[in-house]
Amino acid sequence: MVIVTLQREKCIGCNYCAELDPEHFRMSKKDGKSNLLHSIDKKGFHTVRLPHDFVFEQVEIAANACPVRIIKVSKI
C-alpha cells in the first residue's frame, strides 16, 4: 500500500505533479493549485491510500519534482 499526502494550501501551482502523474494529480481551474485525486482532507493535509505498490515510483517522481516539497509518499 502507498500513502500519498499533499499539503495543498502551500501549493504554488507549478503543475509539475499533474504533468508527471496525471493519474493522481489535477490542477484546479478554480485556484490553480494541485488536487490529489480521491483524497481526504484533514486540516489541510489531503491524503489518499493507494492499494497497489507499483504506483509508488510514479508518485515519488511527482513528489521529488515539487519545488516546495509538499507531497509526501510512503510505502507500508
Side-chain angles (χ1 to χ4, degrees), residues 8 11-15 17 26-35:
R8 190 174 187 280
C11 179
I12 61 172
C14 71
N15 199 40
C17 59
R26 293 277 192 285
M27 299 308 291
S28 171
K29 291 180 181 177
K30 196 174 198 178
D31 64 5
K33 294 185 178 192
S34 177
N35 288 318

Side-chain angles (χ1 to χ4, degrees), residues 61-75:
I61 289 169
N64 289 335
C66 178
V68 287
R69 301 284 185 227
I70 59 168
I71 303 169
K72 303 296 180 215
V73 185
S74 60
K75 190 187 291 189

